Amino acid sequence: MSKPVCVVWMNEAKAYEQALTRTGLLDRFEVHSVNADQPIPDDLAARADILVGQRPGSYLKRMPRLRWIQAITAGVDPWLASRDLSTEVTLCCARGTHRISMPENILGALFHLTKPYMPIALDQRESRWTKRQSVPLAGKTLGILGLGAIGQELARKAAALEMRVIGTKRSPAPVAHVEKVYSPEHTDEMLGASDFVLLLLPSTSETENFINADRLRAMKPTAWLLNFARGALIVDADLIAAVQTKKIAGAVLDVFRQEPLPATHPFWKTEGILVLPHLGGGHPERSKDVAAMFADNARRFLAGEPLNAVVDRARGY
């Protein structure tokens, strides 16, 4: 019986081969590594059963045997928007590989907003002693829009800091370390009760432009908005207006509609908005984590078992 042909179309291909080796599966596949800046050869594309890659393209039309795509990102908007992606192909994302790094970076943003280390560092440049105070996170309310794996891990860590955590979930069942779970229909109530509002929603037709002028008005004027999800969730102009007119205290943004964020975008110059360079879930070991997920799915693929992190195309994530 011929081996399934797997194309790893990315520059960190060695991590995926090593993951298959560690699980004793490398010799069960015919693996071909192609750098992401090179096209997939026609003869290889025609034989491929499996693709590991970071972006879709017209090359998908040259892959009639393709059965499974392992995307290397948690968000798969470009894949779902591709007209060349067959409905017969199982699409898996890298959901869960941000579970540790993303909550830590979000906590870093919360500490940045409440602890004066940045102005202190600037004072040191001038050898200037300025007495400052930090604001405790304990007792503050963190509202999480989207209580998935990342939101739940963050809730655990935030609760350890004595923060009150509330949030929304499509199916509002109880969640550990979350005091109250709201349905999406009660989002405005959650917004009004939060000192920090965190966006962790997927990007779908339902969530595009989710944070608009009306929802910003539902927030406290002392509250901060943090977006570590998708840039399309926010109406940019509405957020800028809300910050400039003090409808909310400000925002920390890690994701944008266009990345890198154009130098001419007003986010850069709006006082009260902090622009992060998509710091999010990236970390030095992430390629290994995604590769380990791929290797586990490769075992499932061979055994005819359901794959992990399969994308629900109807929901968009």
Side-chain angles (χ1 to χ4, degrees), residues 18-278:
Q18 290 171 342
L20 290 175
T21 300
R22 282 192 296 271
T23 52
L25 296 175
L26 185 61
D27 62 351
R28 302 283 303 278
F29 294 90
E30 182 185 328
V31 180
H32 297 268
S33 301
V34 181
N35 284 344
D37 56 354
Q38 298 294 320
I40 300 172
D42 288 344
D43 59 336
L44 180 57
R47 297 191 302 115
D49 300 290
I50 302 165
L51 172 70
V52 181
Q54 58 189 19
R55 66 180 186 276
S58 60
Y59 65 85
L60 291 171
K61 291 185 289 188
R62 299 184 284 113
M63 297 181 131
R65 291 180 47 180
L66 196 61
R67 289 185 282 164
W68 163 36
I69 294 174
Q70 178 66 63
I72 66 168
T73 56
V76 290
D77 306 1
W79 291 98
L80 295 177
S82 174
R83 296 180 179 180
D84 300 318
L85 179 63
S86 168
T87 57
E88 303 300 316
V89 177
T90 299
L91 175 64
C92 295
C93 65
R95 186 185 307 131
T97 55
H98 297 157
R99 187 183 66 84
I100 299 300
S101 56
M102 183 82 83
E104 289 187 1
N105 280 319
I106 293 167
L107 287 174
L110 293 175
F111 280 117
H112 175 82
L113 295 176
T114 56
K115 315 301 175 190
Y117 290 107
M118 175 59 76
I120 287 171
L122 295 175
D123 286 340
Q124 183 173 347
R125 291 183 177 182
E126 307 296 327
S127 302
R128 184 170 56 237
W129 179 282
T130 304
K131 289 291 291 181
R132 300 182 185 273
Q133 285 187 325
S134 65
V135 177
L137 284 172
K140 298 293 185 182
T141 298
L142 171 63
I144 303 174
L145 288 164
L147 285 166
I150 294 170
Q152 292 177 40
E153 177 66 16
L154 176 64
R156 185 180 71 83
K157 289 178 164 67
L161 294 172
E162 300 182 41
M163 296 188 75
R164 173 177 178 252
V165 183
I166 58 178
T168 63
K169 203 170 187 293
R170 181 186 288 269
S171 300
V175 174
H177 310 292
V178 179
E179 182 177 304
K180 186 171 182 179
V181 180
Y182 296 79
S183 66
E185 292 75 21
H186 293 90
T187 293
D188 284 1
E189 182 181 345
M190 192 220 75
L191 293 175
S194 302
D195 297 302
F196 303 96
V197 173
L198 171 65
L199 292 176
L200 289 178
L201 296 169
S203 179
T204 68
S205 57
E206 295 177 354
T207 61
E208 185 173 2
N209 298 325
F210 190 82
I211 297 297
N212 55 23
D214 289 338
R215 288 209 164 92
L216 289 162
R217 277 193 291 270
M219 292 173 59
K220 296 179 181 180
T222 54
W224 288 82
L225 178 70
L226 296 85
N227 188 10
F228 280 75
R230 298 288 181 269
L233 300 180
I234 294 175
V235 180
D236 292 3
D238 289 358
L239 175 59
I240 291 168
V243 173
Q244 289 178 334
T245 58
K246 306 300 181 184
K247 294 288 192 307
I248 66 172
V252 178
L253 306 177
D254 190 47
V255 287
F256 307 91
R257 291 176 181 270
Q258 181 181 344
E259 295 185 7
L261 185 68
T264 56
H265 196 289
F267 278 159
W268 288 109
K269 303 295 184 182
T270 301
E271 186 175 353
I273 291 180
L274 176 64
V275 172
L276 303 180
H278 205 140

Side-chain angles (χ1 to χ4, degrees), residues 68 90 92 296-310:
W68 163 36
T90 299
C92 295
D296 179 63
N297 268 343
R299 178 192 60 78
R300 293 169 177 271
F301 181 85
L302 290 173
E305 299 175 1
L307 302 183
N308 275 330
V310 174

